[in-house]
Amino acid sequence: MEPLLDDVTVSSFLPPTRRIVLHIAVIVAVSLIVGPLLGLYVFNAPRGEVLTLSLGTWLGWGLSFAFVAAFIYTAWLVRTVWKAYYKHVAARKMEEFYRAIEGKRKD
């Protein structure tokens, strides 16, 4: 019986690098827009003095939002890799099963 995972690497289950870079760019862009808006909402945005956020506050809220989004994206990537891995293992086991069945048949 041969090993099920002889030629498998983690990178074979990941989305293409281009798509990952695109996702990261979107997360950063959205974080730098939505993060400060969320900060305005939390601090009761209708007040005029809150609308003039300093660059540090804007960057702080944006990076905080990006940090949380990065954890969520990493969890999604791990889940995607695990699902693809188990699908691959199941397919290899089925191939092995069919080969065993073909070997036992008398035609």
Side-chain angles (χ1 to χ4, degrees), residues 1 4 18 21 27 36 48-49 76 80 87 102:
M1 187 173 196
L4 292 175
R18 227 173 155 184
V21 170
I27 286 172
E49 65 272 5
W76 176 80
T80 302
K87 188 181 287 186
E102 289 294 323

Side-chain angles (χ1 to χ4, degrees), residues 29-51:
V30 168
S31 296
L32 292 177
I33 294 169
V34 174
L37 291 176
L38 183 63
L40 286 173
Y41 178 73
V42 168
F43 288 117
N44 196 5
R47 296 191 326 223
E49 65 272 5
V50 178
L51 289 176

Side-chain angles (χ1 to χ4, degrees), residues 62-100:
L63 291 178
S64 299
F65 199 81
F67 192 69
V68 170
F71 274 115
I72 293 169
Y73 185 67
T74 303
W76 176 80
L77 278 177
V78 168
R79 180 180 174 270
T80 302
V81 168
W82 275 111
K83 281 179 62 177
Y85 168 76
Y86 283 122
K87 188 181 287 186
H88 175 76
V89 168
R92 294 288 299 259
K93 285 183 179 180
M94 286 304 292
E95 287 176 12
E96 196 173 292
F97 173 74
Y98 288 138
R99 273 188 270 139

